[in-house]
Amino acid sequence: MSYNKRIAANPYIVGTFACIGGGLFGLDISSMSGVLSNPAYLKTFHNPGSNAQGAIVASMPAGSLLGALLVTKLADSLGRKKTIILASLIWVIGAILQCASVDRGMLVVGRIIAGISVGISSAIVPVYQSEITAPAIRGRLVSFQQWSITWGILLQYFVQFGCSYINGTASFRIPWGLQMIPAIILGIGMTWFPESPRWLVDHDREQEALQILADLHGGGNKQDELVVLEFEEIKQQVYFERNEGAKSYMDLFKPGVFRRVILGCSLQMWSQLSGMNVMMYYIIYVFQGAGLTGRRGNLIADSVQYILNVLFTVPAIWYIDKWGRRWMLILGSFFMGVFLSLVGGLQGGFGEWGVVDNSSVWVINNHPAVTRAIIVCSYLFVCSFAITMGPASWTYPAEIFPMRVRGKAVSISTATNWMFNFALAWAVPPALSSIAWKTYFIFAAFNFAATIHFTFCFPETAQRTLEEIEEVFAQGHAFAAWKIKRNVGRKNLHEVLAEKGDRHSLQAKESA
């Protein structure tokens, strides 16, 4: 299998390049949020109401749900690398259709196709990253998936902002067309990257896997201790899982696995119910209701939020392997609940029904201090997500599953993300136009519920190989996760080789 060994030798390049796939999701978020008040967009698509606009936005996560489910087959049959390349090709097709769309139907079809690409890449990229990176920096590199999403949001938004000065449909067609460029770079660039060594071992290509591990973590030296340790652990885990039975969907319900499926799916569910993507998709509506008027002023305020999203993801990337996943999730969900409660309280206490752009809106009038306070709380909410749950929500599901079900389980977890994303993208515009400020209290309650769930059920997984994480869940404590210590599961090469010898002796006795 061809790949560039110099690229493979650099852990940060090989571990982050595929994150461009995550950036595609970010591009989509601001490709819609930036046009919600664009006169040319509204005219071309016949002034979609709250329900119609919700449907247009929701068409992308609907496609992503399908794409994430497709990964259950694609990841195991094509491999991780080819699946990422396929996702980039599908995105280009979707971007072309969106750019050329002349009515809502064509736009929705383009967004569904682009969504399939996002669903595939959002499920497969974290798996690919987790399987090729060293344990000490795995969380950091998988977290780049979230950072790339924030960059996608930010860059597309500024393109939208610049193009907003153009009169006519070019103001939204140019940004939609430029979305093709990152996908083309991703598809071509991945041809120089290695396949996952764990997938290769699982497909009886052990020598290729060993060479890739050596290039990834040992400077090409197949005798390097970390290389030998990982190779032996991967082989032992793959052989053990083969003896456990065929890789089927029923494996997801086996003891020890089903618990992790619930954790992966629920984490992706909570990341959507946190309200973060709602704040990204519909931030124009949020600030409009806060009393911020003027299209340019709203765009500038929105851009500040997107910049903060990028900046506050950086500390999480750098420290996620030191801080661990568990406390990031607990603290992040708690503070998001607090700030959403403040936004809802201020909206409810000082707002009233009014008319903005010929639509009935719950809006704050003549309270500039309250308007500023809501904007600040919105910014703090975004910062809370960016530095905690954002990176952890992609890292955790990618590392907790056994090899035999990892592709299927991660795709099911990611499909859960897109299912809730779809529902919320469609439901929130009508909610804001009907129950208004109460919407924020609903999301705040979800965050406080998530805090409780994370505290009791989510064990720490940082600083362990994917194979050592098996020991973490073997400890039990399904509802007392704090009892599992951070040193559980860690092994050195001698311990791994000793286990291998014990296993071979046991097999020899059984065969005798």
Side-chain angles (χ1 to χ4, degrees), residues 130-148:
S130 68
E131 291 184 348
I132 64 171
T133 53
I137 58 172
R138 184 179 64 246
R140 181 182 303 170
L141 296 185
V142 176
S143 294
F144 271 94
Q145 167 84 346
Q146 176 63 23
W147 203 38
S148 69

Side-chain angles (χ1 to χ4, degrees), residues 134-135 210 213-214 217-234 465 468 491-497:
L210 177 58
L213 282 171
H217 305 144
N221 178 15
K222 295 181 181 180
Q223 304 304 317
D224 180 86
E225 183 169 338
L226 175 59
V227 172
V228 176
L229 171 63
E230 277 207 271
F231 186 59
E232 292 297 333
E233 283 190 327
I234 292 169
T465 69
E468 289 169 351
K491 302 173 186 175
N492 57 39
L493 178 59
H494 298 295
E495 290 172 329
V496 171
L497 293 177

Side-chain angles (χ1 to χ4, degrees), residues 112-175:
I112 289 174
I113 292 174
I116 292 172
S117 168
V118 172
I120 293 172
S121 60
S122 63
I124 196 62
V125 168
V127 171
Y128 177 74
Q129 291 176 293
S130 68
E131 291 184 348
I132 64 171
T133 53
I137 58 172
R138 184 179 64 246
R140 181 182 303 170
L141 296 185
V142 176
S143 294
F144 271 94
Q145 167 84 346
Q146 176 63 23
W147 203 38
S148 69
I149 294 173
T150 67
W151 272 108
I153 295 171
L154 179 65
L155 294 175
Q156 176 72 314
Y157 198 82
F158 277 120
V159 172
Q160 295 271 4
F161 184 83
C163 290
S164 70
Y165 290 90
I166 300 174
N167 293 322
T169 61
S171 61
F172 64 84
R173 295 196 192 280
I174 290 175

Side-chain angles (χ1 to χ4, degrees), residues 101-390:
S101 59
V102 294
D103 55 36
R104 294 181 191 176
M106 190 173 177
L107 176 59
V108 166
V109 170
R111 286 181 57 74
I112 289 174
I113 292 174
I116 292 172
S117 168
V118 172
I120 293 172
S121 60
S122 63
I124 196 62
V125 168
V127 171
Y128 177 74
Q129 291 176 293
S130 68
E131 291 184 348
I132 64 171
T133 53
I137 58 172
R138 184 179 64 246
R140 181 182 303 170
L141 296 185
V142 176
S143 294
F144 271 94
Q145 167 84 346
Q146 176 63 23
W147 203 38
S148 69
I149 294 173
T150 67
W151 272 108
I153 295 171
L154 179 65
L155 294 175
Q156 176 72 314
Y157 198 82
F158 277 120
V159 172
Q160 295 271 4
F161 184 83
C163 290
S164 70
Y165 290 90
I166 300 174
N167 293 322
T169 61
S171 61
F172 64 84
R173 295 196 192 280
I174 290 175
W176 289 355
L178 291 175
Q179 293 180 115
M180 289 183 280
I181 296 175
I184 293 170
I185 294 172
L186 174 63
I188 295 174
M190 281 301 298
T191 60
W192 286 291
F193 282 72
E195 179 56 88
S196 160
R198 286 170 171 83
W199 183 84
L200 290 171
V201 171
D202 198 36
H203 287 74
D204 299 315
R205 295 161 64 177
E206 293 185 5
Q207 289 307 308
E208 289 181 66
L210 177 58
Q211 184 60 59
I212 289 174
L213 282 171
D215 292 331
L216 286 170
H217 305 144
N221 178 15
K222 295 181 181 180
Q223 304 304 317
D224 180 86
E225 183 169 338
L226 175 59
V227 172
V228 176
L229 171 63
E230 277 207 271
F231 186 59
E232 292 297 333
E233 283 190 327
I234 292 169
K235 286 199 300 180
Q236 287 185 32
Q237 192 65 32
V238 168
Y239 297 158
F240 173 74
E241 289 169 356
R242 283 179 181 173
N243 292 331
E244 288 286 293
K247 293 182 290 186
S248 71
Y249 285 100
M250 294 308 299
D251 286 345
L252 299 177
F253 297 94
K254 287 186 175 180
V257 176
F258 185 63
R259 171 191 174 190
R260 287 180 259 184
V261 172
I262 295 298
L263 293 181
C265 290
S266 59
L267 175 53
Q268 293 285 15
M269 175 192 73
W270 290 128
S271 74
Q272 288 301 316
L273 294 179
S274 70
M276 178 60 175
N277 279 338
V278 172
M279 298 294 275
M280 293 289 105
Y281 280 131
Y282 299 120
I283 188 60
I284 284 181
Y285 294 163
V286 174
F287 286 170
Q288 188 182 69
L292 186 64
T293 58
R295 183 161 175 254
R296 294 287 185 268
N298 209 319
L299 286 171
I300 293 171
D302 299 349
S303 67
V304 172
Q305 173 157 298
Y306 296 142
I307 291 171
L308 291 172
N309 193 22
V310 171
L311 294 179
F312 276 81
T313 304
V314 175
I317 291 173
W318 198 254
Y319 291 107
I320 187 170
D321 290 304
K322 182 177 181 180
W323 294 343
R325 290 60 155 147
R326 175 178 157 80
W327 278 105
M328 290 175 70
L329 293 171
I330 293 171
L331 295 176
S333 56
F334 174 77
F335 282 108
M336 284 189 289
V338 170
F339 293 126
L340 283 178
S341 297
L342 290 173
V343 170
L346 291 170
Q347 285 266 17
F350 294 91
E352 59 185 2
W353 287 109
V355 177
V356 178
D357 295 334
N358 299 318
S359 299
S360 179
V361 176
W362 183 272
V363 64
I364 293 175
N365 292 312
N366 303 317
H367 293 287
V370 175
T371 295
R372 288 192 293 270
I374 290 174
I375 293 173
V376 169
C377 286
S378 299
Y379 289 162
L380 291 173
F381 166 82
V382 169
C383 293
S384 299
F385 180 90
I387 204 170
T388 57
M389 185 182 285

